[in-house]
Amino acid sequence: MLVTGATGRIGRVVIDQLLHAGVPVRALTRRTEAGATLPAKVEVFTGDLAAPETLDPALNGAGPVFLVWTAPPQTAAAVVERLAAHVQRVVFLSSPHRTPHPFFRQPNPMAVLHADIERLIAATGLESTIIRPGMLASNSLAWWAPAIQTGEVVRWPHGAAETAPVDDRDIAAVAARALYQDGHVGADYVLTGPESLTQAAQVDAIADALGRQIAFEEITPDEFRRLSEGMVPSSVVDMLLAAWSAAVGRPAYITAAVADILGTAPRTFRQWAADHATVFTEGSQPSATSR
Ligand SMILES: NC(=O)c1ccc[n+]([C@@H]2O[C@H](COP(=O)([O-])OP(=O)(O)OC[C@H]3O[C@@H](n4cnc5c(N)ncnc54)[C@H](OP(=O)(O)O)[C@@H]3O)[C@@H](O)[C@H]2O)c1
């Protein structure tokens, strides 16, 4: 199996899951030095989705591929063509852009790219499984850990917006099953966490995990735009603000897919926060066992 996005949040855990299942794993990274951070049993290949010809060594003789697309869109068609020339099956990490909930129906350039890649995959005749996680629980590390680590107030827009954060470990476990188990070809899985929680309630859950209070202050979208300047592309800020705004006053969309596929309940956001508490106190990365 070849895992792309192997050094990323989800790919890294997919690798752990595949190794745990006894499956030989290849990993793709653009950075030779990053290979040293992956488990020793993994066969590491250097390659770049933005330069499709660099993928050939990793694809030659590979089994199913876990495709994570974080590169610019220009080379997507050439990469999918190369995948089809070398392998039979792909598991694609997409997003719930077809789900009829207002949160997922806002303007979103990443969702447009995901839809394009899905069309490319379908056109090749590759066997495919599409995995569509909603909001990742781990987004809160980038969003709130800096303020929480320094004891500052979490200043955030649309505090009442409800989402159902899904644990990266559950997404990775589903992806790994789709790669090494039969019965997932043609499947399309929307993955969510088990509970609809406002953003303010998610910060409260982190506070409970830390055993202390965290002050939350609602700010306006324009204040958020100003605070994000130079750190987050404005297109991403606009995408998030539109999605959160549409999610105020209505419960988040929740599916049973994680439980149906894994046979265990999806992890709650409280569980995720408890397992990552040290990151909010010390800024350290979660240990392998907490992943
Ligand atoms: N955040 C959310 O709530 C959410 C929800 C639904 C879907 N998603 C989707 O999840 C995906 C991101 O997954 P993630 O969070 O696990 O990734 P991540 O932690 O952001 O890591 C990005 C990965 O992509 C690799 N990468 C970046 N550019 C590359 C290139 N040009 N060629 C080859 N590899 C490249 C990086 O590897 P190297 O640096 O080692 O090369 C790294 O492993 C995106 O498609 C996103 O739209 C996110």
Side-chain angles (χ1 to χ4, degrees):
M1 315 251 161
L2 172 65
V3 177
T4 70
T7 60
R9 290 184 283 183
I10 297 170
R12 203 172 266 273
V13 195
V14 170
I15 287 176
D16 292 343
Q17 296 275 338
L18 292 174
L19 291 175
H20 188 70
V23 176
V25 180
R26 295 179 174 188
L28 185 83
T29 172
R30 291 164 302 171
R31 303 166 291 133
T32 319
E33 74 282 5
T37 67
L38 295 170
K41 276 190 180 166
V42 174
E43 193 180 356
V44 180
F45 291 83
T46 309
D48 190 333
L49 294 167
E53 67 286 356
T54 64
L55 306 179
D56 285 350
L59 288 172
N60 277 331
V65 173
F66 181 54
L67 180 62
V68 177
W69 194 278
T70 47
Q74 289 79 0
T75 53
V79 168
V80 171
E81 212 172 282
R82 263 190 151 77
L83 289 181
H86 286 88
V87 307
Q88 237 186 329
R89 197 189 324 169
V90 62
V91 175
F92 177 50
L93 180 64
S94 185
S95 51
H97 54 82
R98 295 179 177 175
T99 297
H101 183 288
F103 181 77
F104 298 120
R105 307 302 299 180
Q106 304 309 310
N108 183 335
M110 187 50 81
V112 171
L113 175 55
H114 287 155
D116 284 346
I117 295 175
E118 288 166 38
R119 271 190 291 275
L120 290 167
I121 291 172
T124 61
L126 271 162
E127 294 177 354
S128 66
T129 308
I130 311 296
I131 309 256
R132 307 179 186 277
M135 201 52 106
L136 268 60
S138 63
N139 288 343
S140 55
L141 290 173
W143 293 344
W144 301 324
I148 294 171
Q149 283 161 2
T150 50
E152 288 167 35
V153 175
V154 171
R155 306 183 73 227
W156 210 249
H158 300 305
E162 297 194 33
T163 60
V166 54
D167 194 303
D168 307 18
R169 296 168 293 188
D170 289 332
I171 302 166
V174 169
R177 298 279 183 104
L179 286 162
Y180 74 77
Q181 265 186 350
D182 289 336
H184 300 283
V185 171
D188 188 312
Y189 298 131
V190 176
L191 307 180
T192 71
E195 292 173 289
S196 179
L197 294 170
T198 66
Q199 300 200 85
Q202 291 170 36
V203 173
D204 281 346
I206 296 168
D208 288 347
L210 302 187
R212 67 174 169 87
Q213 293 205 320
I214 299 170
F216 184 95
E217 183 193 327
E218 173 110 11
I219 58 174
T220 65
D222 279 345
E223 280 176 289
F224 184 66
R225 282 194 182 90
R226 205 160 15 83
L227 289 175
S228 307
E229 240 169 52
M231 291 190 294
V232 185
S234 60
S235 58
V236 174
V237 172
D238 287 343
M239 175 189 92
L240 287 168
L241 284 169
W244 286 326
S245 167
V248 171
R250 65 186 92 221
Y253 186 80
I254 291 175
T255 72
V258 169
D260 289 347
I261 298 158
L262 301 181
T264 52
R267 293 173 174 89
T268 62
F269 187 73
R270 282 186 177 278
Q271 175 74 56
W272 179 88
D275 291 342
H276 295 77
T278 53
V279 190
F280 290 98
T281 50
E282 301 156 12
S284 60
Q285 285 304 305
S287 70
T289 50
S290 71
R291 282 174 171 277

